[in-house]
Amino acid sequence: MQKNPYSIAFIGGGVNSAIGEVHKAASQMDGCFKLVAGAFSTHEDINRQTAEAWGVSADRVYGNYKDLLSAEKGKLDAVVVLAPTDLHEEIVVAALKAGFPVICEKSLATSVAEGNVIAKAVEETKGFFCTTYNYTGYPMVRELKQFIEDGKLGTIQQVQVEMPQEGFMRLGANDEPPKPQAWRLKDTVIPKISLDLGSHLHNMVYFLTGERPTRIVADEATFGLFPQIVDNVGALVQYTNNVRAQIWFSKTALGNRNGLRVRVYGSEGSAEWFQLEPETLKTCDRYGSVYLRDRTGNVKVANQQRYNRFKAGHPAGFIEAFANYYRDIADCLEQYFATGSYTSKYVCDLKTSQEGLAMMEAAAKSAKSQKWEEV
């Protein structure tokens, strides 16, 4: 079944959330989806304001996700779960059992155990499920993936990937302290920072190299204004095929708004991509030559029409990358409705989402044991 656009509802993601507006804009940018219903917030005023702002009919706005799943059965092509990660297991399982395809904001859940419950529901219902990891939607990240697949870097040896932020340290006007959402200030089996940032780094390494983590040694620290939670993590990771990785993610790295950077080193060359300069991919060969590529250069992926909503020199950014990912999800839904399953080189599937939880849980265990831990 090919449908354009697919009708979706949001569970969570109201106008007061960190991600709602981004998902709304990205999902509809290329005309693949239309937001027609929602249980945007448990607060009635936020729910109403969100519906009014986004043009969702009042009779398709619900006070909780259970009412939405009941009333919208047979009317939607998918639900998008944007609620806090602590609630993912409960909501995703309920949506799958009610027969809805599910698009879930990362991270999959808060623990391996919760992820396994979701996996069991997917298996039992034969339902559609994917997780959104939008940084892999950047054209030059996809170009780097193709570059690696084509063997241009030779045998991959090392990956260094980092995601420093400053949100738990930076003061606002009049020395006002940061005010994160309450659910982000409660660590459980896996620290929230590892679910929020670390899972992105796991996904990026797998996306680019296809290698899977086997063991990890990690350090966790608290430097910021919230002593009850971990806010800085560094780790060494061993991957399949003898690949080594160094990862660092932080919410107390002053001067970094969102410094996602990935460096890949191989036997024939290296490559680097930086999220604050997303249009450029830097590569180097064994002879010391350095090249900068953008969408107009010697590229195989980034010059495709779908990645060039406007010509190079007019930078595509975070929301466009997210829109690229949503377009991939639409392709996956088309496959699923036609065959009952889907495959994609770009969309994060259940196995990879579970693996991210396993890696972050092993990191938390290692930080306590101060030893290498198996993933």
Side-chain angles (χ1 to χ4, degrees):
M1 181 182 75
Q2 184 173 10
K3 186 175 180 181
N4 195 9
Y6 290 113
S7 296
I8 55 174
F10 284 0
I11 297 175
V15 291
N16 65 330
S17 73
I19 57 172
E21 181 64 42
V22 172
H23 276 268
K24 185 259 183 182
S27 63
Q28 298 180 84
M29 183 175 289
D30 292 327
C32 296
F33 295 93
K34 184 177 181 180
L35 180 63
V36 298
F40 305 109
S41 174
T42 55
H43 299 281
E44 184 178 353
D45 57 337
I46 298 297
N47 217 7
R48 184 185 66 255
Q49 291 172 27
T50 304
E52 291 174 352
W54 295 348
V56 176
S57 176
D59 62 0
R60 300 187 73 175
V61 180
Y62 305 90
N64 60 75
Y65 79 88
K66 294 179 181 178
D67 288 346
L68 183 149
L69 296 179
S70 176
E72 293 290 334
K73 193 172 181 66
K75 300 178 183 178
L76 298 172
D77 297 303
V79 296
V80 183
V81 177
L82 304 177
T85 313
D86 304 59
L87 303 176
H88 282 187
E89 177 198 348
E90 173 187 335
I91 296 172
V92 169
V93 169
L96 288 166
K97 290 185 175 180
F100 292 92
V102 176
I103 301 165
C104 185
E105 166 67 11
K106 60 82 194 161
S107 178
L108 172 64
T110 66
S111 67
V112 170
E114 288 184 0
N116 289 342
V117 172
I118 292 174
K120 182 179 179 181
V122 172
E123 181 180 5
E124 290 177 348
T125 62
K126 308 300 180 186
F128 176 95
F129 179 87
C130 71
T131 315
T132 58
Y133 282 98
N134 60 296
Y135 292 107
T136 62
Y138 278 102
M140 297 314 293
V141 171
R142 296 186 170 190
E143 189 65 39
L144 174 54
K145 177 180 177 65
Q146 186 65 51
F147 203 77
I148 294 170
E149 289 178 356
D150 288 344
K152 298 294 183 63
L153 299 183
T155 301
I156 302 305
Q157 299 167 335
Q158 301 181 67
V159 181
Q160 296 181 341
V161 60
E162 63 185 38
M163 198 173 190
Q165 299 178 0
E166 61 181 357
F168 285 1
M169 185 80 84
R170 185 187 67 237
L171 300 178
N174 302 315
D175 294 332
E176 293 177 0
K179 298 178 181 178
Q181 296 152 303
W183 66 272
R184 296 186 187 274
L185 299 179
K186 297 177 182 178
D187 283 346
T188 51
V189 177
I190 302 173
K192 283 298 193 299
I193 188 174
S194 295
L195 299 172
D196 194 20
L197 305 186
S199 64
H200 271 300
L201 303 192
H202 159 266
N203 186 70
M204 182 63 75
V205 175
Y206 172 71
F207 178 81
L208 291 174
T209 69
E211 305 298 342
R212 297 190 179 276
T214 59
R215 65 183 195 141
I216 188 170
V217 61
D219 174 72
E220 297 176 348
T222 300
F223 296 128
L225 302 175
F226 306 97
Q228 73 272 32
I229 58 170
V230 173
D231 56 30
N232 190 89
V233 179
L236 302 176
V237 193
Q238 293 183 3
Y239 282 78
T240 51
N241 288 316
N242 202 36
V243 173
R244 299 293 195 269
Q246 299 177 40
I247 66 173
W248 170 50
F249 47 99
S250 178
K251 292 197 175 183
T252 54
L254 288 172
N256 292 276
R257 309 297 189 252
N258 186 23
L260 174 60
R261 187 188 300 268
V262 58
R263 302 178 179 94
V264 184
Y265 297 92
S267 60
E268 300 296 326
S270 67
E272 178 177 350
W273 179 82
F274 184 35
Q275 202 250 171
L276 294 184
E277 300 172 1
E279 293 282 85
T280 303
L281 175 64
K282 176 184 175 182
T283 62
C284 181
D285 64 22
R286 293 183 66 182
Y287 303 98
S289 300
V290 178
Y291 304 90
L292 295 179
R293 292 173 168 83
D294 65 12
R295 287 184 280 133
T296 67
N298 181 22
V299 292
K300 294 175 66 173
V301 174
N303 58 0
Q304 294 175 23
Q305 184 175 355
R306 62 171 296 196
Y307 301 127
N308 288 268
R309 297 178 182 86
F310 203 65
K311 57 189 176 181
H314 301 79
F318 183 87
I319 296 178
E320 289 89 346
F322 223 136
N324 294 335
Y325 199 94
Y326 261 104
R327 182 165 174 178
D328 298 324
I329 293 174
D331 292 340
C332 293
L333 278 171
E334 181 182 348
Q335 290 182 51
Y336 174 79
F337 288 135
T339 68
S341 63
Y342 76 89
T343 59
S344 173
K345 67 184 295 184
Y346 293 140
V347 173
C348 182
D349 60 13
L350 180 62
K351 178 182 178 181
T352 306
S353 294
Q354 287 182 284
E355 184 180 79
L357 289 178
M359 178 171 154
M360 291 299 105
E361 198 163 299
K365 185 177 179 181
S366 172
K368 291 179 176 63
S369 71
Q370 299 187 355
K371 298 177 180 178
W372 284 91
E373 298 289 348
E374 301 297 314
V375 176

